[in-house]
Amino acid sequence: MATTTSVSLGDLIDETMSRLYRHSERPLQVTLSGAPSSASSTSINLATGDASKLSITDVIEINQEAMLITAVNTSTDIVTVSRGYAGTTASGDHVATDPVLVQPGHLRADVSRFVQRCLSGPMGVYLPSMTTESKYRVAGKQYIEMPATTQRVLSVRHLISVTGRIIDVGGWQFEEDLPTGMVSTGKALRVPSTVEDDDELIVVYVTPYTWSVTPPTEAATVSLPMACEDLPSLYAAAYAITGNEITRLDLDQIEEWNQDAAVRQGFNVRLMRELWGEFYRRIDEAKRVQNLPRVRPYRKMPHVIV
């Protein structure tokens, strides 16, 4: 089983923000004098003098919630806001020590989505989450019931307990979309007739990356393979800059882009090349460390002349 490291969503978001703001100034920060009383409260109490730093239509952010300022009272240092702005979710869990960012260039809620997108997309393709388990076939049947989350099977090996030898098993087939009345999970690994009920098989299969809490909070953790810990933040930073995913082919041809069009869309072409190039370089490095199987093992059978 590959060596893994547990990282939290909050740490990945913070790392992404560090990458995004290294090229520009960080947003202004003001201080709360007390937390909002509930998720529906529209009055935000600020420290003395902080309300004068804000204006109507400014956007402030507390944790992953964005708020639109609709009124400012500089005498009481209270601002009135519209909660859950820009598609974020109003929360009643804010505390007085939470930082308040003014006009943030990148919302934490957006970055959180980009981090999760990396795990369900590119990392699932290039560096999948692999599980290695000992399994036995269903008694009297020529298949092994696989977990419902199984995406594909990479290898099947046989551990011969008497000799301790480990050999590849050929002729297996991963079956999906089976009737749940026949196989409870709908997924099974068909094995050759040479496999007996008491034969211990070592099965390596791919499942999605999963968070410790669903839906994930910033405290939620996910286990990532060794050398992959910074990939989600690299991807999230690149995606936040461009607003879409840039493939390797697009990256190679980026010099051919119309520079005026890039400026109109708000792209910094140099920064875009730097972030996406670093992401794909790190993907290649991590793949070498993980030593992923390239294809399903195949062993040519000897030709027998009768």
Side-chain angles (χ1 to χ4, degrees), residues 142-143 153 155-157 167-175 188-195 201 296-301:
Q142 289 303 139
Y143 69 86
V153 175
S155 68
V156 182
R157 290 168 291 169
I167 61 174
D168 290 328
V169 175
W172 57 267
Q173 180 67 41
F174 177 52
E175 303 286 354
L189 176 65
R190 178 158 48 90
V191 294
S193 58
T194 53
V195 175
L201 298 183
R296 170 177 168 174
Y298 170 75
R299 300 199 182 280
K300 186 176 181 179
M301 299 300 293

Side-chain angles (χ1 to χ4, degrees), residues 57-79:
T57 71
D58 278 350
V59 174
I60 61 174
E61 181 186 52
I62 307 177
N63 298 318
Q64 287 197 28
E65 181 186 356
M67 308 175 191
L68 177 67
I69 297 178
T70 57
V72 178
N73 189 327
T74 56
S75 60
T76 60
D77 282 301
I78 296 176
V79 295

Side-chain angles (χ1 to χ4, degrees), residues 109-143:
D110 291 339
V111 171
S112 175
R113 287 196 299 271
F114 302 155
V115 167
Q116 295 174 60
R117 180 187 177 93
C118 177
L119 296 178
S120 62
M123 285 195 63
V125 174
Y126 298 116
L127 294 158
S129 173
M130 297 185 296
T131 301
T132 303
E133 286 184 346
S134 294
K135 291 186 175 295
Y136 298 86
R137 76 177 202 179
V138 175
K141 305 291 185 181
Q142 289 303 139
Y143 69 86

Side-chain angles (χ1 to χ4, degrees), residues 11-12 27 37 46 52 63 102 106 127 130 268 270 275 280:
D11 286 344
L12 290 172
S37 57
L46 301 177
S52 62
N63 298 318
V102 182
H106 304 279
L127 294 158
M130 297 185 296
N268 181 326
R270 181 176 179 180
L275 289 173
Y280 287 119

Side-chain angles (χ1 to χ4, degrees), residues 181-256:
M182 299 175 61
V183 179
S184 61
T185 62
K187 297 183 179 181
L189 176 65
R190 178 158 48 90
V191 294
S193 58
T194 53
V195 175
E196 303 293 340
D197 288 352
D198 59 349
D199 286 343
E200 184 176 11
L201 298 183
I202 304 171
V203 182
V204 181
Y205 59 96
V206 173
T207 59
Y209 286 97
T210 56
W211 296 94
S212 58
V213 178
T214 305
T217 62
E218 291 204 16
T221 58
V222 62
S223 294
L224 298 179
M226 181 179 63
C228 300
E229 301 88 344
D230 61 341
L231 286 173
S233 61
L234 277 170
Y235 177 91
Y239 199 98
I241 291 295
T242 59
N244 65 312
E245 186 173 319
I246 303 297
T247 66
R248 289 178 188 265
L249 179 61
D250 291 336
L251 191 63
D252 292 338
Q253 298 176 344
I254 203 168
E255 294 296 346
E256 300 175 11

